[in-house]
Amino acid sequence: REFLRKVPQPRHSRVLDLSCMGLWQFPPEVSRLKYLKALMLTGNVIGELSPDIALLTGLEELSLADNNLKALPIELSLLTNLTDLSLLDNELTSIPPEMSALALLRSLHLDNNDLRTPPQEVVMRGTSEIMSYLRRVLKARDTRVLELSFLDLKSFPVEYLGITNVTDLSLSDNQLSTLSAEIGTCGDLKQLWLQNNKLTTLPPSVRSLTKLVTLCLDNNNFDAVPPMIRYLTAMRNLSMNDNMLDEIPAALADLDQLQSLALRGNKLHHFPEVFYRWTALTELVVSNNRIAELQLQFEVLSTLQVLNLEGNLLVSPPREVLQQGTPLTLEYIKRLKNARESKVLDLCSFGLRVLPVEVIKNNSRLRELKLSNNNMKVLPSDIRML
């Protein structure tokens, strides 16, 4: 074979160039050249790389550019002296995360492949970012925590990662406009972070994430709560701050284990009548919306510790009540509700500066109204309607 003339004697071999030799496999004779520093196999038709390449432990430079490689053997990661690796112009769809073990690698060329992982957005960032990505994926196999934030990703290649048992997945601060339906295969997910993307909906397969406890969708482009969220009944923390929601669907009442709901910076005008079923709720953030009034059912949320209503159009409860915190706000609502049956309304010591409109509007049959220890200077003329 012609290439055999290029194979030098062992112990004297440092550089071997077998480019454009028409080779269709890794030459087994080359694997005995253990002192080889540089190997060029550019421009052949090699479709599969033999694991025997791992025997070239002293290799520092390897070019496999312009071949027909569809996959790489994990054994390639054993070439820990590699500083330059060229895989240009092949048919690779993924790079094994084990390649992150090549700590000395300074130049990794992956252009003109059909890569899904690392995705093109990472490849364009250069060798350092590629290796960081591979380390994150490899680490996730042990920790089950996958962190892929701040990578400008436009897609998430679930099916190519070979990891479906992650429990914590962060894809925040990317450029995702859609989420792959394959996300449904990650059935062990408990926390999913998707904030700061461009999402407008979620795939129906999300309903398979029945163990999901925390879902963060802040700062996306949702104009409606994705309907499949109602099936995630293990959910305890749901955050959809800074979207374009104008209502909360009644179906969310099925999330009866919900403890924290954050909907700051949307376009909400009111709450659904069924919200009182969130009896485990401890935190509700609905600041900077368009809510003008709270329903009296709020008082049944006895576990509520944080209620943030700042930046709304509320006239009820009045601002001076809201500023005194969640317990007093809920107590105010409770007294309004009880007054409908008892005909006695006690609004003493709430720091009221004026008599709230809803007191006059909704309590025309009151027998007794208590307003001592407030800050009112005058009573409205409409009080005669009581």
Side-chain angles (χ1 to χ4, degrees), residues 135-151:
R135 282 192 292 270
R136 295 185 197 188
V137 175
L138 185 64
K139 182 180 179 181
R141 292 184 177 178
D142 293 325
T143 64
R144 302 178 72 184
V145 176
L146 182 55
E147 167 62 61
L148 295 178
S149 301
F150 295 98
L151 293 175

Side-chain angles (χ1 to χ4, degrees), residues 65-66 85-92 108-115 120 123-126 130:
D66 195 15
L85 175 60
S86 179
L87 296 165
L88 296 167
D89 297 296
N90 278 279
E91 300 173 18
L92 299 169
L108 175 59
H109 306 282
L110 295 173
D111 292 343
N112 297 329
N113 280 279
D114 192 23
L115 285 172
Q120 188 61 31
V123 173
M124 291 174 62
R125 290 181 167 210
I130 294 171

Side-chain angles (χ1 to χ4, degrees), residues 328-352:
L328 199 68
T329 299
L330 293 179
E331 179 62 23
Y332 176 90
I333 295 171
K334 180 180 179 179
R335 294 189 186 185
L336 286 181
K337 183 180 180 181
N338 291 343
R340 291 189 174 182
E341 296 183 2
S342 68
K343 309 304 179 187
V344 175
L345 178 55
D346 183 352
L347 294 181
C348 297
S349 304
F350 277 100
L352 297 174

Side-chain angles (χ1 to χ4, degrees), residues 20-34:
C20 303
M21 299 293 294
L23 301 175
W24 57 274
Q25 66 177 2
F26 177 76
E29 297 86 351
V30 173
S31 62
R32 73 172 186 267
L33 305 178
K34 298 183 180 179

